[in-house]
């Protein structure tokens, strides 16, 4: 855990004065809830091969590997979806930012549904979520409640036809939801880009965000440096919950 640091007053001023903000979140917003991210030291990528007996870390979200061996994904899913996982202060900050009418678009790469659980009304989950699923054999659609029983036990959920129910989480090798792709192609006008808790290494969401970064004012808050820090108007390396607290005090009060 890095030390709490005071936010740059100019960053706070920009946030306070901006409406129509494009917020892009990643796994870093959920780590304080107890969900590990991918690329931090000790993150999923460093433990996945051993913990889930995988040939390579990305296999856990690789659609070709899933067709051969779906069990590791479902073991991980149970860990991600543990019932007592609660939204973080930063998720709640974004709910209040939305309630003040300051968020134009909120895009998350996360599949944990914590933005919705916190109370955010309009969230584009560009990598999908567990809210719905589909039988890989007959194509029947399911709601989360229909397959959450086995899912929460780390077991594979099956359709009546015998096919595997795959949650609508986007794997490497799969298309992203239309809700995100239409944004990707339209690049709607926004006044500020606020990127929170992502290494910005997963495409196409990274290039979507970075396309805005040199054109409009932009803020990146992340614990570790990313390869793209230089593109942003302001970069704060620190804890997101600490950022949220300072932003609450200075921007929303
Ligand atoms: P990533 O590549 O693991 O990067 C996360 C970033 O967050 C890192 O650069 C960290 O420095 C930073 N970070 C971690 N904790 C904090 C914190 N408390 N405060 C500030 N910064 C922090 O993850 P990305 O989101 O960039 O990669 C995209 C992948 C990760 C998406 O496909 C997700 O589906 C996937 N993922 C999602 C979850 C989830 O839903 N919670 C968990 C793990 C992975």
């Amino acid at each position: 855990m890095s030390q709490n640091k005071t936010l740059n007053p100019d960053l706070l001023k920009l946030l306070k004065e901006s409406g129509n903000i494009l917020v892009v979140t990643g796994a870093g917003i959920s780590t304080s809830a107890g969900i590990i991210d991918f690329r931090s030291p000790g993150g999923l990528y460093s433990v996945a091969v051993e913990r889930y007996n995988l040939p390579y870390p990305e296999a856990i979200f690789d659609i070709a590997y899933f067709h051969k061996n779906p069990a590791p994904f479902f073991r991980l899913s149970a860990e991600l979806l543990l019932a007592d996982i609660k939204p973080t202060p930063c998720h709640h900050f974004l709910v209040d930012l939305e309630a003040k009418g300051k968020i134009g678009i909120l895009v998350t790469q996360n599949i944990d549904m914590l933005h919705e659980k916190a109370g955010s009304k309009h969230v584009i989950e560009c990598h999908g979520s567990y809210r719905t699923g589909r039988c890989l054999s007959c194509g029947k659609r399911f709601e989360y409640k229909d397959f959450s029983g086995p899912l929460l036990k780390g077991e594979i959920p099956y359709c009546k036809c015998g096919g595997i129910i795959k949650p609508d989480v986007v794997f490497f090798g799969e298309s992203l939801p239309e809700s995100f792709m239409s944004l990707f192609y339209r690049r709607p006008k926004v006044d500020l880009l606020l990127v929170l808790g992502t290494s910005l290494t997963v495409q196409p969401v990274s290039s979507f965000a970075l396309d805005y970064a040199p054109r409009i004012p932009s803020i990146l808050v992340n614990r570790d440096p990313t390869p793209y820090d230089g593109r942003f108007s302001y970069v704060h390396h620190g804890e997101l919950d600490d950022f949220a607290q300072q932003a609450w005090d200075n921007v929303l009060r």
Side-chain angles (χ1 to χ4, degrees):
M1 163 104 46
S2 52
Q3 269 195 326
N4 292 348
K5 290 179 229 156
T6 306
L7 288 168
N8 181 334
D10 293 337
L11 180 161
L12 288 168
K13 186 164 176 279
L14 176 61
L15 201 51
K16 195 175 176 99
E17 288 172 354
S18 302
N20 194 21
I21 304 171
L22 166 60
V23 184
V24 178
T25 69
I29 196 172
S30 298
T31 53
S32 69
I35 303 176
I36 60 173
D37 64 5
F38 276 172
R39 294 173 185 86
S40 287
L44 192 56
Y45 274 10
S46 62
V47 299
V49 168
E50 207 174 314
R51 190 188 292 179
Y52 304 105
N53 197 17
L54 296 169
Y56 53 96
E58 291 86 352
I60 198 141
F61 285 121
D62 184 315
I63 194 65
Y65 185 79
F66 180 85
H67 285 301
K68 284 188 274 181
N69 181 15
F73 168 75
F74 286 111
R75 273 186 57 205
L76 168 71
S77 298
E79 290 168 25
L80 278 182
L81 293 168
L82 282 174
D84 63 346
I85 287 178
K86 296 189 176 58
T88 66
C90 195
H91 287 102
H92 289 296
F93 167 69
L94 293 178
V95 175
D96 289 355
L97 204 62
E98 182 183 53
K100 288 260 180 189
K102 286 170 77 68
I103 296 186
I105 304 166
L106 169 54
V107 175
T108 187
Q109 299 171 81
N110 295 343
I111 54 177
D112 56 27
M113 302 183 287
L114 287 184
H115 283 296
E116 185 189 72
K117 213 169 178 180
S120 285
K121 302 262 185 299
H122 301 287
V123 186
I124 293 176
E125 294 164 320
C126 67
H127 293 159
S129 81
Y130 292 87
R131 192 168 301 106
T132 52
R134 184 178 60 87
C135 171
L136 293 180
S137 297
C138 71
K140 186 174 174 197
R141 309 275 331 159
F142 292 89
E143 297 294 318
Y144 177 71
K145 64 177 169 36
D146 302 326
F147 59 91
S148 61
L151 198 65
L152 291 171
K153 288 192 232 149
E155 295 167 4
I156 299 174
Y158 288 101
C159 175
K160 279 207 177 87
C161 80
I164 292 173
I165 301 172
K166 179 188 167 289
D168 289 332
V169 168
V170 178
F171 280 42
F172 295 117
E174 289 190 307
S175 315
L176 274 68
E178 176 53 31
S179 55
F180 174 73
M181 290 316 294
S182 71
L183 280 185
F184 183 84
Y185 291 119
R186 279 190 297 120
R187 307 281 153 113
K189 187 182 171 311
V190 289
D191 299 331
L192 171 71
L193 171 69
L194 176 63
V195 175
L196 304 173
T198 168
S199 61
L200 286 168
T201 47
V202 176
Q203 295 296 352
V205 68
S206 170
S207 55
F208 171 69
L210 291 170
D211 179 58
Y212 282 98
R215 295 191 283 115
I216 59 168
S218 53
I219 298 172
L220 168 67
V221 184
N222 203 51
R223 183 190 286 159
D224 299 298
T226 78
Y228 307 104
D229 286 8
R231 302 255 194 123
F232 287 80
S233 321
Y234 296 96
V235 177
H236 179 81
H237 291 143
E239 294 298 313
L240 278 167
D241 291 343
D242 178 47
F243 157 78
Q245 187 58 58
Q246 292 188 55
W248 243 319
D249 293 345
N250 290 280
V251 175
L252 294 182
R253 292 219 169 109

